[in-house]
Amino acid sequence: MRLAKPMIDLGLSTNMLEPMVEFWEHEIGLRLDHVLPVRRGQKQYRFDAAGSVIKVNHHRDPLPDAAFSGYRELLIAKPELKRSRRLIDPDGNRITLVPAAFAQFDQIAVRLHVKSIEAHRAFYTNALGFSEISVAEGVGFRAGNSLLLLDQKLDVARNPGFEGKGWRYMTLQVFRVDDAHSLALLAGAREAMAPTTLGTTARISMILDPDGNWIELSQRASIVGSLD
């Protein structure tokens, strides 16, 4: 799979607006790029992390209690840091700020808890075309300038679902979402949502990894120039 933007975006859902915006702007130090109305009762606050978008989806209506997804931690490289800082946002999501000089990445990494390293190794290699790299613990994959770090754990929920608080999905920007979606299904991905067009903004689809974590494939007009 060829990425139109060489990095991962990561999305979370919350019912708390002001504390979350305050945290991501002032505690983490990310710039709020813009606010995207998604649907009635939901707005997406899009924070820039060295080119990756951290998508804070605020829902007006209460989100259901749901199992954690496999996405468990966001790591952000910070050139000015001398030592790592472990933080928790108002909803309990984990973020670690890492000195860029000591990281294996200069942008972001996403830590994913999985039931089977081998199943996910096959998925991320064959369905998404990520390249495996050597990391200190677990298994790592490079997606452009971003890293995906896999840790095998016993307490991983199967099919955690899309609705619920916390980290819920990651996004990959592609050139043609219909082609990327079809190829991913042929390589073993499960379909969560067939390709659909969102006005003039993007054409997107959703697939699932072996544990049922959601992955958005997005053909965004502002990146690729056309939704045709």
Side-chain angles (χ1 to χ4, degrees):
M1 182 180 297
R2 192 161 66 101
L3 298 181
K5 187 179 78 166
M7 51 200 67
I8 294 171
D9 299 332
L10 192 62
L12 65 82
S13 293
T14 184
N15 286 134
M16 291 195 289
L17 178 56
E18 289 82 4
M20 291 291 273
V21 171
E22 171 74 17
F23 175 86
W24 287 98
E25 277 191 316
H26 299 290
E27 190 69 25
I28 301 299
L30 300 187
R31 177 180 63 87
L32 177 60
D33 184 77
H34 68 280
V35 180
L36 176 67
V38 178
R39 58 179 61 89
R40 184 184 296 273
Q42 180 185 350
K43 291 183 178 179
Q44 186 178 97
Y45 291 73
R46 297 170 64 86
F47 292 90
D48 177 69
S52 283
V53 180
I54 308 306
K55 298 185 279 189
V56 177
N57 293 281
H58 174 252
H59 296 258
R60 181 186 60 200
D61 295 331
L63 289 162
D65 291 329
F68 290 118
S69 75
Y71 303 112
R72 295 300 177 91
E73 184 181 14
L74 169 66
L75 299 93
I76 303 175
K78 291 277 191 175
E80 70 277 10
L81 281 186
K82 301 299 183 185
R83 64 179 66 182
S84 295
R85 292 183 62 206
R86 297 184 182 276
L87 301 165
I88 298 176
D89 77 6
D91 270 340
N93 301 303
R94 293 192 297 168
I95 304 95
T96 300
L97 306 181
V98 182
F102 303 107
Q104 288 182 274
F105 57 97
D106 58 7
Q107 195 243 358
I108 74 163
V110 177
R111 190 175 303 282
L112 179 66
H113 287 184
V114 302
K115 281 190 174 292
S116 167
I117 287 288
E118 290 309 313
H120 283 78
R121 174 181 276 125
F123 174 82
Y124 285 105
T125 301
N126 299 327
L128 299 186
F130 291 180
S131 56
E132 186 170 349
I133 64 168
S134 177
V135 294
E137 298 179 2
V139 172
F141 289 92
R142 185 169 295 283
N145 298 328
S146 304
L147 295 187
L148 188 65
L149 306 173
L150 274 56
D151 292 340
Q152 187 163 296
K153 300 290 184 179
L154 297 177
D155 61 342
V156 176
R158 292 281 192 187
N159 303 312
F162 190 75
E163 300 294 332
K165 296 177 183 177
W167 303 117
R168 305 315 295 185
Y169 65 104
M170 71 174 181
T171 300
L172 303 175
Q173 296 293 340
V174 299
F175 288 96
R176 293 188 59 82
V177 74
D178 293 77
D179 293 345
H181 185 86
S182 295
L183 289 172
L185 297 186
L186 287 173
R190 289 183 288 151
E191 182 177 76
M193 185 181 77
T196 186
T197 301
L198 305 178
T200 59
T201 302
R203 184 164 172 77
I204 69 168
S205 72
M206 292 283 192
I207 59 174
L208 302 174
D209 76 5
D211 286 339
N213 297 300
W214 288 60
I215 300 168
E216 179 185 36
L217 304 178
S218 171
Q219 178 183 339
R220 194 171 180 84
S222 62
I223 295 174
V224 301
S226 174
L227 300 184
D228 295 334

